[in-house]
Amino acid sequence: MKELTLDDLRHLMRISAGEDESIDLEGDIIDLGFRDLGYDSLAVLELASRLERDWGVVVPDEVAATLETPRAVLDYVNERAAVK
């Protein structure tokens, strides 16, 4: 399986919960909190659902709640994808 990139994640974020007009997802967002990016807990759960559906990596709800930045999501998904 290929590695999930920040661009892949940006795409999933947009289709999962849209994009706040005041936030530039193309900027340096890797260490910004999802709340700072305009994504609430429901949006993060939808993102987790997309990751499972599109990337085959299960992100349990209790884990999704702890993934606070795009970097954390990338690390989580890519670590598990490498095991498959």
Side-chain angles (χ1 to χ4, degrees):
M1 171 184 266
K2 78 174 196 152
E3 183 173 280
L4 179 69
T5 67
L6 184 55
D7 285 336
D8 296 327
L9 184 59
R10 284 182 177 114
H11 173 73
L12 291 174
M13 289 170 66
R14 285 184 178 109
I15 62 174
S16 295
E19 182 175 1
D20 185 327
E21 297 280 328
S22 66
I23 304 292
D24 178 16
L25 288 183
E26 293 305 317
D28 186 16
I29 65 164
I30 196 155
D31 290 314
L32 292 178
F34 283 112
R35 288 186 188 265
D36 297 329
L37 295 169
Y39 291 81
D40 63 13
S41 58
L42 290 177
V44 174
L45 290 174
E46 175 60 26
L47 176 61
S49 175
R50 288 265 178 196
L51 288 164
E52 181 174 353
R53 185 173 41 242
D54 297 354
W55 288 81
V57 175
V58 176
V59 183
D61 292 351
E62 61 275 5
V63 172
T66 68
L67 301 175
E68 297 180 354
T69 65
R71 182 185 305 274
V73 171
L74 291 172
D75 289 347
Y76 182 88
V77 171
N78 289 328
E79 286 172 11
R80 276 136 193 92
V83 174
K84 289 189 170 205

